[in-house]
Amino acid sequence: MADVSLKEIALIIGVVAACYWNSLFCGFVFDDVSAILDNKDLHPSTPLKNLFQNDFWGTPMSEERSHKSYRPLTVLTFRLNYLFSELNAVSYHLLNLVFHAVVCIVFLKVCKLFLDNRSSVIASLLFAVHPIHTEAVTGVVGRAELLSSIFFLAAFLSYTKSKGPDNTIVWTPIAVTVCLVAVATLCKEQGITVVGICCVYEVFIAQGYTLPMLFDAAMQILRGKCSIPYSMLQTLLKLIVLMFSTLLLVVVRVQVIQSQLPVFTRFDNPAAVSPSPARQLTFNYLLPVNAWLLLNPSELCCDWTMGTIPLVESFLDIRNIATITFFCFLGSLIVFSLRYPGDSSKTVLMALCLIVLPFIPASNLFFPVGFVVAERVLYVPSMGFCILVAHGWKRLSNKSVLRKLSWVCLSVVLFTHALKTLHRNWDWESEYTLFMSALKVNKNNAKLWNNVGHALENEKNFERALKFFVQATQVQPDDIGAHMNVGRTYKNLNKTKEAEESYMIAKSLMPQIIPGKKYAARVAPNHLNVYINLANLIRTNESRLEEADQLYRQAISMRPDFKQAYISRGELLLKMNKPVKAKDAYLRALELDRTNADLWYNLAIVYIELKDPTEALKNFNRALELNPKHKLALFNSALLMQESGDPTLRPEAKKRLLNYVKEEAQDANGYFNLGMLAMDDKRDAEAESWMKKAIRLQPGFRSALFNLALLYSQTAKELMALPVLEELLRYYPDHTKGLILKGDILMNQKKDISGAKKCFEKILEMDPNNVQGKHNLCVVYFEERDLIKAEKCLVETLALAPHEEYIQRHLNIVRSKISLLGAAEQSTFPADGTAAVGEKKIPFENLKEVKNEQKTTQTLNSNINKGQSNSKKRTGKNNTDKETKKKSTKEIKDIEKKRVAALKRLEEIERILNGE
C-alpha cells in the first residue's frame, strides 16, 4: 500500500475547497432546523448523558415519536460547534468541508490498495467533486455521513493489516477495527456495514479465493477427501470474531431503540405501505434510480418522498426494463469479480462491496425507511462507483487509440461535476432557494410545495405562502399536513372561518377509531397537531371553550404520551378558571418530560393563580435550573420576588432582571422593573437612570413616565417632574394619578392655582366621584378665597366619603372661618404644598404603579400550527395599570411616618384657620 504524498493531499484539499467554498455562505435549512436550531442537546446546559439517551433530533429514544436514528457522536460535534460559535452557520459548514476533505484523503489511501497511483488520485478527485455529495457536505446534518465514513474507512484500513507473515493473525488491528466500527456506528448506523466489506476482503483479497475455489474446497471437505486447511481455519476464526462483534453491536443497537422501529407515514415512503407486487416492484426500481443519480447527477432534489417517484404497480410498467437492466449489469459484475482471479476482478469486487453493502440499510429491502430516495445515503456507495470509473478509465487509457479521448472525457467529467457542485451549493443558501430548486426537478411532491410555503411564511409573506400550501393540497388531496398548513395560514391572515374549515378537512382525514388498534402505530405524531391547532383556534371564542377542551382530550386519548396536548389543555383550563385541573395537566406533562423548562414555568403560573407564591417561585427556580436563560422565568420570578415585599430577595430579583435585559435588551419592561427595585431600595439616581432607559426604548411607557415623575417629587425635584408629567398626559390625557400629582406640584411649587384647578376639574369630568380630585379642588376654592364654594365642595366630598375624618375637620375649619370672619374676611391656606394636600392625596408609596407595563404572567404554549415537526414558544402581552397590592413592613412604616407628618402640618393649618 503506497503512502499518500503531501502533493496529493494538497491537490485534494485544493479541489475540495474550490468546490465547496460557497457552502460557507449557506444557512441552516431543511433537516438542519430540527437537528441544530431546535435541538436542546447542543446547549451546554443540557447534560452530556442526554446525547446518549436521545436520537439525532434530540427526542428521547424511549418516546414513540422518536426517529430512532442514534448518532450521539455526530451530535457531540454539533455541540462543540455550538460551544465555540453557538448558532453561527459558518463554523458548522466549515467543519463539514474539513471532514469531507479528510474523507477524500483517507479514501485515496484505500484506493491505493486496489488501483495504481494515478487511478487512485482520479478516483479520489471524482469523489471530491461529485455533485451527489452536496447534500452530505453542504447540508449540516450530512455530517453523520462524513464522520461515519472517516471511521468506516479507517476501520477497513486497520483490518487490512491483520494478516501477518505466513498467514498468521495480528489481533491488534482487528481489535482497533472493532472499536472503529463501533465509533462509525455511533456516528451513523450504516457504519456497521464495514464488517461485511472486511469479510469479503479477507476471503477474496487477503486469502485470494475465488468462488470456484471455495466451491471445490467445500466439496472436497464434504466428501472427506481432505481436512480444512490451516489457513482457512485462520480465516474462519477472524470472520467469527468480526461477526460476533457485529452481532454484539446489533444487539446493543436494538436495545437502544427498545426493539421499536420508528413510525413513518405513507407520505414519507408510499411503497412501504403498498400491497404486493407494487411494494417489491417499486423498491427494486429504486435501485436503478439511485444508480442513475451516480451516473448522471444533473437533476438533484433535496426531498424524494411522497409522489416524487410514482409506484410501479404492474409487471407491464415500462420502468421494469430499467430494473432488469440494472440487475443484469450488476449480476455480470458480481460473476466476473467472484469467478475470475486477478487484480481487475479484485478491484471490481471491492468496488461492488462499497456500493452494495453500505446501501443495504437504506434500500428498503429488509425494513422500511422514512424516505424513498436520499442523496446523502449515496455518500459511501459513491466510493465504489468512483473506483469502478477510475478502473474503467485505466483500462481505456492503456489502449493507445483511446488514450487521448479518455483524458479528454475524464477532464470534462471532473470539470462539469465540479461546476455542478459549486452551483448546487447555492441551492442550500436558504430554505426558499433549496425547495424552489427541488420544485424545478419534481412538481409531484406535496412536501416540496409545503416547504416553500413554510419558507415564505417565515418571511411573513402569508399571501404567497397560502398559494403554495393550497397547491400542496391539490397535488396530494389526502395530505393532512398540507390542510393544516392552509388552516394556519388563513389564521395568520385573520380568516378564522376558512382556517376552521381547513382544520376540519384535516381532522376528517385522520384514521377512524378501530377497537383494539393502537393509534400510535398508525398516526404520525405531527398529524395529531390538527386537534391542537383546531382547539387553539376555536378557544378564542369564549362560548366554545368546552369544545376546545374536548379536542385536547381526544388527542390525549389517541396518544397518552402526547405532551403538547397536556400543555395546551393546561393553558385552556387556566383560561376557564380551573387552576387545579390545569395543575394536573401540567404535572402529567412533567411525567413525560421533566427536563422541559417551559413546563416548570407554566406550573409556576398555575401556582400564582392558586395564590401560592412560594410554590410558584420554586417552579420558576426549577425552570431556571434547566434553562438559566429562560427569559420569561427570569422576568416573572424577579417580579414575584419584588412583589413579595421581602428585602432579602431583592438582590436576587435584581440579578435576574439584569440577566433578562441581557437576553431582551430592547424590552423596556426589564429596565422599568430594575428602576422600581432601585426605588424600593432608595437608590434614587440608579432608579432615575433605569426609568429613563425604559422610556427611551418605549416612548409613552405609561408606568415608567409616572413613576419617574413620582421619583422626582419624592426627592424634592418637583419642577423636573413637570415635563415628565406633561409627556405622560400627552399620551394618556385621562391618567388620574398623573393629573393629581401635576396639580399638587402646580399649586404648591409653581403657585399656579389656575393650572392646578384645571387638573382637578378634568379628573372630576372623567370621574365625578373621585374623592381625591374633588377634595383637592375644594382646596383650590379655598386658595381662591371662595369660602362658600369651598364649603359646598367639602359637603359634597364628605357625602362621597362620610368616614374620612380629615374631610369633616376641613369642613369644620371652613365653616368656622366663615362664621368668624364673615363673607368679606378671607384667609388663605398656607403656601405649604403638603398642607394643601396633606391628607388629601394618596401617600407617594401608594402612588407607585405596577411594575409591569406589558408583560403578564402567562403560560407558555407551543404554536404547533405547522404541519411539520417544528414548534415555537409564544407568550402574550397585555397592558396593565394597577397599584401594588402588597407592601412590606418597612413600606407601611414609611407610610405611617408620612401620615403623622401630614397630621402635624394639618394641625398647623387648623391653628392658622382658627386664628391662633
Side-chain angles (χ1 to χ4, degrees), residues 448-458 461 464-466 468-469:
L448 294 175
W449 293 99
N450 280 320
N451 285 334
V452 175
H454 288 312
L456 292 168
E457 185 181 38
N458 291 336
N461 193 342
R464 282 192 67 199
L466 181 61
F468 283 90
F469 290 142

Side-chain angles (χ1 to χ4, degrees), residues 351-365:
L352 289 176
C353 287
L354 283 169
I355 292 173
V356 175
L357 295 180
F359 185 73
I360 286 176
S363 65
N364 282 291
L365 297 178

Side-chain angles (χ1 to χ4, degrees), residues 93-366:
H93 289 293
L94 178 61
L95 197 54
N96 271 24
L97 190 153
V98 171
F99 285 146
H100 180 54
V102 172
V103 173
C104 293
I105 293 168
V106 181
F107 176 58
L108 174 60
K109 199 171 182 68
V110 171
C111 289
K112 291 190 176 187
L113 292 170
F114 315 109
L115 297 169
D116 60 29
N117 195 57
R118 179 182 293 171
S119 300
S120 298
V121 172
I122 289 170
S124 184
L125 288 176
L126 179 59
F127 180 80
V129 304
H130 203 295
I132 202 71
H133 299 154
T134 51
E135 183 171 343
V137 181
T138 310
V140 177
V141 295
R143 185 177 300 176
E145 264 74 26
L146 306 178
L147 282 172
S148 180
S149 298
I150 291 173
F151 296 108
F152 179 102
L153 295 174
F156 177 69
L157 286 174
S158 176
Y159 186 80
T160 59
K161 300 176 182 178
S162 64
K163 181 180 178 182
D166 299 325
N167 209 25
T168 57
I169 300 175
V170 184
W171 289 106
T172 301
I174 294 177
V176 172
T177 297
V178 172
C179 293
L180 290 172
V181 170
V183 173
T185 306
L186 290 175
C187 293
K188 192 176 181 185
E189 298 79 359
Q190 69 182 24
I192 201 170
T193 59
V194 71
V195 174
I197 295 175
C198 291
C199 290
V200 173
Y201 174 84
E202 176 65 31
V203 174
F204 296 99
I205 309 299
Q207 301 301 326
Y209 293 115
T210 62
L211 204 58
M213 291 172 63
L214 287 175
F215 180 77
D216 290 342
M219 294 303 296
Q220 293 287 337
I221 295 169
L222 290 174
R223 290 171 182 170
K225 293 184 177 181
C226 66
S227 61
I228 301 176
Y230 179 74
S231 61
M232 189 171 287
L233 287 174
Q234 292 281 73
T235 300
L236 286 174
L237 181 60
K238 292 169 75 173
L239 294 181
I240 289 170
V241 171
L242 283 177
M243 298 308 295
F244 179 79
S245 62
T246 303
L247 182 62
L248 185 62
L249 283 173
V250 170
V251 170
V252 172
R253 184 67 173 82
V254 171
Q255 288 297 316
V256 166
I257 66 173
Q258 301 184 0
S259 304
Q260 293 178 337
L261 288 175
V263 177
F264 297 119
T265 69
R266 58 191 175 86
F267 303 110
D268 297 320
N269 191 348
V273 294
S274 298
S276 298
R279 175 188 172 97
Q280 289 76 19
L281 291 175
T282 303
F283 283 157
N284 282 288
Y285 171 68
L286 293 179
L287 299 178
V289 169
N290 282 279
W292 180 249
L293 288 174
L294 291 174
L295 279 169
N296 180 28
S298 59
E299 291 188 341
L300 299 177
C301 181
C302 64
D303 193 314
W304 295 81
T305 57
M306 303 188 88
T308 304
I309 299 176
L311 295 174
V312 181
E313 298 179 300
S314 168
F315 288 103
L316 299 177
D317 193 310
I318 195 170
R319 289 175 293 174
N320 289 318
I321 297 175
T323 304
I324 295 170
T325 303
F326 170 78
F327 278 107
C328 289
F329 181 72
L330 182 64
S332 62
L333 288 177
I334 291 173
V335 169
F336 169 77
S337 61
L338 293 178
R339 184 172 183 179
Y340 301 104
D343 291 340
S344 180
S345 60
K346 290 179 180 180
T347 301
V348 172
L349 178 61
M350 293 312 299
L352 289 176
C353 287
L354 283 169
I355 292 173
V356 175
L357 295 180
F359 185 73
I360 286 176
S363 65
N364 282 291
L365 297 178
F366 296 99

Side-chain angles (χ1 to χ4, degrees), residues 817-889:
K817 195 67 176 175
I818 291 172
S819 63
L820 290 173
L821 302 178
E825 185 179 354
Q826 301 288 326
S827 180
T828 61
F829 272 17
D832 178 59
T834 310
V837 290
E839 278 189 284
K840 303 181 252 320
K841 66 181 180 181
I842 294 177
F844 285 148
E845 290 293 327
N846 287 343
L847 275 174
K848 283 185 183 179
E849 294 204 1
V850 73
K851 295 145 184 76
N852 184 8
E853 176 75 4
Q854 291 183 331
K855 297 272 184 182
T856 59
T857 50
Q858 183 168 336
T859 56
L860 282 172
N861 189 13
S862 294
N863 184 12
I864 329 184
N865 285 322
K866 287 188 180 180
Q868 310 301 323
S869 61
N870 301 351
S871 63
K872 299 179 180 178
K873 301 290 183 292
R874 65 176 173 84
T875 183
K877 294 186 177 182
N878 298 320
N879 289 329
T880 62
D881 185 22
K882 57 185 178 184
E883 294 183 9
T884 306
K885 294 180 180 178
K886 214 177 226 183
K887 297 294 171 190
S888 66
T889 304

